[in-house]
Amino acid sequence: MESWMLMILVIMPGVWSGEWRVTFENQCALRGGSVVMKCSYNYPRPQRVTQVDWSRALFTSGRWRLHHLSSLPSPPDFEYVGNRNGNCSLKINNVQPTDQGQYYFSFVTTLDRWTSKTYAYLYVKELTAVLKPSTVKEGDDVRLTCVSECPTPKTIVWFKDGQPVRKPEFSVRREDAGSYFCAVLGQKTVRSNSVTLNVQYAPKRVTLSLSPPGDVVKGSSVTFNCSSDANPPVRDRGYSLYMDGQFISSGQEHTISDLQPRHSGLYHCQACNNVSWRGDDLMNSTDFHLDVLYGPMNMSILVDDQQFAEGSSVNLTCSSVANPEADNYTWYKRTDSPSSSSWLQVGWGQVLSLPSVEASHTGRYLCQASNSVGEGNSTDLLVTMKTEDRGSQMHLIIAGVGVIVLVTLVVAHLLYWKKRTRVAKKRTAFGAKLSGEGLSSSATEDQLDTVYANIQTFPSSRPRNTDHKHYIPSSDEAELIYTTVAIKPRNSRAPQESRATIGESEDSVIYSTVVKSS
């Protein structure tokens, strides 16, 4: 037996001289990529290699055991790229973390079998995408970084939602928000994990809508709804509703259950999420015009006067408030009969014209207006004719005559008082003249014509006595009567001074003696 072994050793030179060997290089591969496990081997010549194999060590049943790659629970996608003449390289495609571990090479020659005493270790690593910062505000700068524990590939490319990214550094817009990953150029399967870029921005596209849509009629119910595009989203209390610039309520929805004309106006919604844009953190929607439709209301009949003279022209105008404006007007006049009363249609149009008023036109009128929403009636208006008032005219005539008489009496009294004052002044001047010149009664009689008039009234039984110089009435029978005494110069030879003084005026002095019998 020993001789046979010696013969074999002699036939196989180099076995004990160390010519059997396998050389490896450890490798680091990126998940999803491909890697070549570089390997070389040697064996005694002139043997020929008849079989090659790669195995992987797994720890099973308490010890390490070699398993052929094809028999592994999750065999890799491998390919032998060596030969049978010293090159034992192995290529693994689509490397996965499960492929990491110890790899052994073995081969069979025409005379022997050889398994490597050492192993090649395959490290499987990940490409890691790093985004700093991951949450930014619109307008901030961001930088994308791709990190690998294996030697970094020469060319790295970036993708956002599957689309290439031109530069790894940029100023963020809201459109840049999304999922990013890095990969090796030409090996899209060698890619990093995805990272999300969160871009915060103020509300945009703030919209105010109304439901239900369509025409809004008085008395109906509508709901305003605010919406916006914002990050973070606007909370319910972040919305505010305004009408004609006045605050109405806060919240994403606002309901008006009983619409009235006063609710018509311009509405807008304001949104806020505490993220500002160019210094403004309150964003407004476009104005929404709420137009409440309603039938004619607040109707009345307009006229200059409710009483008209016979034959005059009268226009009755029907006034109303409506949306849309009233487009149909009808006029009615009340007709009364002993048994009943009714309204008779008498015209159309906003204005009812009565070109020549007569008795048949008097009475109560009302107008009816309508539009596409509804109709309404005015209150009735009483139209009457004016009547002549002769008693009032007579009163006016009497009053006018009375005024004329009163004015005449006042004027006469003023004239009389003025004249009497003038006469009194002249009497005083005349008495002073007579006393200063010592005129005798005879001289006075020569210069002046004295006219006296005595008027007496006696009882009818008393005998008439023509000599009134000798008759002296009793004190209880006589009263003074004043009559006119005209004093004129006797002739033109009267003293010039006296004439000048006495003749200054031709006015008369009035004396009266009134004697009244009992």
Side-chain angles (χ1 to χ4, degrees):
M1 183 66 180
E2 294 178 357
S3 60
W4 282 105
M5 291 294 297
L6 180 60
M7 185 180 296
I8 294 174
L9 292 175
V10 171
I11 295 174
M12 300 177 62
V15 172
W16 300 106
S17 61
E19 292 183 2
W20 296 85
R21 68 176 179 273
V22 178
T23 305
F24 297 105
E25 290 183 11
N26 294 335
Q27 298 293 329
C28 182
L30 297 174
R31 181 178 65 86
S34 299
V35 63
V36 175
M37 306 287 290
K38 293 181 179 181
C39 172
S40 63
Y41 66 100
N42 193 21
Y43 58 92
R45 299 296 188 272
Q47 299 183 49
R48 290 183 300 105
V49 176
T50 60
Q51 184 178 349
V52 295
D53 191 21
W54 279 86
S55 303
R56 213 184 120 191
L58 295 180
F59 191 79
T60 58
S61 300
R63 63 193 184 103
W64 288 95
R65 296 175 183 272
L66 291 180
H67 298 270
H68 295 290
L69 295 183
S70 59
S71 64
L72 291 174
S74 299
D77 180 8
F78 65 95
E79 177 186 0
Y80 183 72
V81 293
N83 54 41
R84 295 186 178 184
N85 193 26
N87 184 0
C88 55
S89 297
L90 176 71
K91 183 179 180 180
I92 301 176
N93 299 314
N94 192 20
V95 177
Q96 297 299 317
T98 56
D99 297 334
Q100 180 172 294
Q102 302 170 5
Y103 286 79
Y104 291 82
F105 176 70
S106 63
F107 61 95
V108 177
T109 68
T110 54
L111 297 176
D112 202 358
R113 174 185 297 270
W114 182 264
T115 299
S116 63
K117 304 303 180 182
T118 61
Y119 56 87
Y121 197 91
L122 175 62
Y123 297 92
V124 179
K125 302 296 181 180
E126 298 274 354
L127 275 180
T128 304
V130 179
L131 186 60
K132 292 184 179 181
S134 60
T135 299
V136 294
K137 293 182 180 179
E138 189 172 17
D140 291 348
D141 293 331
V142 70
R143 180 178 182 181
L144 301 172
T145 304
C146 192
V147 178
S148 171
E149 296 181 13
C150 293
T152 304
K154 295 181 179 180
T155 306
I156 295 293
V157 291
W158 283 90
F159 295 87
K160 170 188 174 286
D161 299 331
Q163 300 300 319
V165 176
R166 296 181 59 185
K167 294 181 179 180
E169 298 182 7
F170 50 90
S171 179
V172 176
R173 302 171 301 168
R174 72 181 59 197
E175 296 82 4
D176 296 327
S179 180
Y180 290 78
F181 67 88
C182 59
V184 177
L185 180 63
Q187 301 184 49
K188 192 175 180 179
T189 56
V190 183
R191 51 171 291 178
S192 70
N193 59 310
S194 296
V195 290
T196 301
L197 177 62
N198 182 21
V199 181
Q200 294 184 342
Y201 51 91
K204 301 293 182 182
R205 295 189 288 274
V206 181
T207 305
L208 179 61
S209 59
L210 188 71
S211 62
D215 292 338
V216 178
V217 181
K218 175 187 174 185
S220 63
S221 176
V222 296
T223 298
F224 290 96
N225 185 278
C226 294
S227 62
S228 66
D229 173 21
N231 185 30
V234 178
R235 297 182 179 181
D236 182 69
R237 304 299 294 181
Y239 290 102
S240 299
L241 183 65
Y242 292 81
M243 172 189 170
D244 295 333
Q246 301 296 319
F247 173 78
I248 295 179
S249 67
S250 60
Q252 192 169 5
E253 291 187 352
H254 177 80
T255 300
I256 302 176
S257 57
D258 184 18
L259 281 171
Q260 297 298 320
R262 68 177 183 274
H263 292 131
S264 296
L266 290 178
Y267 291 78
H268 78 268
C269 178
Q270 189 176 84
C272 176
N273 67 345
N274 296 322
V275 177
S276 63
W277 169 249
R278 296 177 180 176
D280 190 2
D281 58 355
L282 298 176
M283 303 299 167
N284 296 328
S285 69
T286 56
D287 288 336
F288 183 95
H289 181 228
L290 180 65
D291 190 21
V292 180
L293 305 179
Y294 53 93
M297 55 188 295
N298 299 334
M299 296 187 60
S300 62
I301 299 177
L302 305 179
V303 65
D304 293 337
D305 193 353
Q306 293 182 229
Q307 290 188 334
F308 307 95
E310 185 174 3
S312 62
S313 177
V314 178
N315 287 328
L316 304 180
T317 303
C318 189
S319 173
S320 67
V321 178
N323 185 27
E325 293 184 356
D327 53 8
N328 186 28
Y329 295 89
T330 308
W331 289 89
Y332 296 90
K333 182 176 180 293
R334 183 172 180 176
T335 59
D336 294 322
S337 64
S339 59
S340 63
S341 62
S342 61
W343 292 92
L344 178 66
Q345 183 175 332
V346 294
W348 297 268
Q350 189 172 7
V351 178
L352 177 65
S353 296
L354 305 177
S356 180
V357 176
E358 56 188 36
S360 62
H361 292 145
T362 61
R364 294 188 176 276
Y365 290 80
L366 69 77
C367 68
Q368 183 181 82
S370 64
N371 61 5
S372 59
V373 179
E375 63 181 23
N377 295 331
S378 70
T379 56
D380 57 333
L381 174 72
L382 178 62
V383 176
T384 60
M385 292 180 59
K386 294 181 180 179
T387 57
E388 297 183 358
D389 191 351
R390 297 184 177 180
S392 299
Q393 295 179 356
M394 185 61 66
H395 292 161
L396 293 175
I397 294 173
I398 294 174
V401 172
V403 170
I404 294 173
V405 172
L406 179 62
V407 171
T408 302
L409 291 176
V410 171
V411 173
H413 177 73
L414 291 175
L415 293 175
Y416 171 74
W417 177 80
K418 183 176 181 181
K419 189 171 184 179
R420 184 172 178 181
T421 303
R422 190 182 304 138
V423 169
K425 290 181 179 180
K426 289 183 177 181
R427 286 184 62 191
T428 304
F430 178 69
K433 182 70 173 176
L434 292 179
S435 300
E437 296 179 356
L439 295 177
S440 60
S441 60
S442 60
T444 302
E445 292 174 359
D446 293 338
Q447 297 175 2
L448 300 174
D449 292 329
T450 304
V451 179
Y452 296 90
N454 296 325
I455 301 175
Q456 294 94 10
T457 303
F458 304 99
S460 58
S461 60
R462 185 181 300 276
R464 179 174 302 177
N465 189 346
T466 59
D467 187 5
H468 24 119
K469 289 184 180 180
H470 300 284
Y471 175 72
I472 301 175
S474 62
S475 60
D476 58 351
E477 295 176 345
E479 293 183 4
L480 293 178
I481 298 176
Y482 295 87
T483 189
T484 302
V485 178
I487 302 175
K488 299 181 180 180
R490 183 176 295 275
N491 50 48
S492 60
R493 295 173 302 201
Q496 187 68 27
E497 180 180 355
S498 175
R499 182 177 181 87
T501 302
I502 300 172
E504 290 177 356
S505 175
E506 295 181 359
D507 293 339
S508 300
V509 179
I510 300 174
Y511 295 89
S512 296
T513 302
V514 179
V515 180
K516 182 179 180 181
S517 61
S518 57

